Amino acid sequence: MKFSRMRHDDPEGDFGRQKRQREIIESILDEGASISSLWNYDNIFDALAKNVKTNFTFEEMLGIQSQYKDIRKNIEELKVEGENEWIPNESGKNIYYYSVKNEERQKLSDLLRNHLELGQEMVSAGQ
């Protein structure tokens, strides 16, 4: 858990934490796709139960695993271009923001909406 949550000591901050969390998810998907894991599912679920809360049934999880086991080979990563900013709030305390220009937000919105087969929509500055 420390590996997946640590960000203050990481030179990449939140971005480094996100990379580690992605590594963990990919490892879980790889392990879950192996036949040997099926024989150890009791041990795996005991370990997960301490750290994961879900309302999925065992049968639903097996269905998801069987339908999406090959998806780990097709993970697409998008990088959002922006700038790190520390902006003071109303009490004067600096809050970290990752600021993204409207052009970049529009580009990402168009890409995601196209992928989801939704119509184009303009992104406004306040969103």
Side-chain angles (χ1 to χ4, degrees), residues 88-103:
N89 64 8
E90 51 281 343
S91 65
K93 180 180 178 188
N94 284 334
I95 306 294
Y96 171 78
Y97 290 93
Y98 189 70
S99 297
V100 178
K101 292 183 179 178
N102 282 343
E103 296 82 22

Side-chain angles (χ1 to χ4, degrees), residues 48-64:
L48 287 174
K50 296 173 187 165
N51 297 298
V52 175
K53 184 177 180 179
T54 182
N55 60 355
F56 285 120
T57 66
F58 178 69
E59 290 76 22
E60 289 170 329
M61 286 189 271
L62 284 178
I64 291 169

Side-chain angles (χ1 to χ4, degrees), residues 64-100:
I64 291 169
Q65 190 274 341
S66 68
Q67 291 177 6
Y68 296 103
K69 64 184 174 186
D70 292 330
I71 200 153
R72 69 190 186 286
K73 299 172 188 169
N74 297 313
I75 294 174
E76 185 177 341
E77 184 175 324
L78 301 175
K79 183 173 182 180
V80 179
E81 298 294 333
E83 298 178 9
N84 299 319
E85 288 191 67
W86 290 92
I87 301 172
N89 64 8
E90 51 281 343
S91 65
K93 180 180 178 188
N94 284 334
I95 306 294
Y96 171 78
Y97 290 93
Y98 189 70
S99 297
V100 178

Side-chain angles (χ1 to χ4, degrees), residues 3 8 18 31 33 43 63 77 118 122:
F3 175 75
H8 295 295
Q18 292 168 18
E31 183 65 26
N43 294 336
E77 184 175 324
L118 301 172
M122 293 302 295

